[in-house]
Amino acid sequence: MNMYVYILTNATNTAIYVGVTKDLVRRMYEHRHNLDPNAHTAKYAIHKLVYYEYTNEPYAAITREKQIKSWNRARKNKLVESMNPKWEDLYESILP
């Protein structure tokens, strides 16, 4: 099963969100369109995809999400910068 761990941020890169999903394109649509208006991502306008990784193991994805969530902000920043040094929105690159 395809699984993704991902990191989103807001326009100024000050707030971040770490999530896991089996359908990254669908999940990004949900975040970007605030389908849950009470969600953390909607409240703080966290819509920019800046990092993602793929695994085919659901347990590994959930474990990785929890691991990243436990990190301090500096370590999360380093992870994002390892893939995306300019913190650009990667959304267009995941579209089919």
Side-chain angles (χ1 to χ4, degrees):
M1 174 186 297
N2 296 339
M3 295 295 294
Y4 297 88
V5 178
Y6 62 95
I7 299 176
L8 306 178
T9 190
N10 60 354
T12 57
N13 302 334
T14 55
I16 63 170
Y17 174 85
V18 180
V20 65
T21 186
K22 64 181 181 175
D23 186 341
L24 188 56
V25 173
R26 176 192 51 80
R27 191 68 179 119
M28 285 304 306
Y29 178 88
E30 293 169 356
H31 286 305
R32 292 169 86 90
H33 291 88
N34 296 321
L35 294 188
D36 179 358
N38 298 315
H40 179 77
T41 54
K43 185 176 180 181
Y44 296 100
I46 300 172
H47 303 126
K48 186 167 71 166
L49 177 66
V50 292
Y51 177 86
Y52 64 92
E53 57 188 60
Y54 164 83
T55 182
N56 59 3
E57 296 291 331
Y59 180 76
I62 293 166
T63 301
R64 180 69 167 153
E65 176 200 27
K66 289 178 182 179
Q67 177 187 48
I68 294 170
K69 282 183 173 184
S70 74
W71 292 352
N72 64 32
R73 179 59 193 260
R75 190 166 179 190
K76 291 174 190 170
N77 288 354
K78 279 188 168 188
L79 180 64
V80 169
E81 291 164 2
S82 72
M83 174 187 194
N84 187 359
K86 295 181 180 178
W87 290 67
E88 297 173 326
D89 191 350
L90 303 174
Y91 178 66
E92 296 290 326
S93 72
I94 66 165
L95 296 176

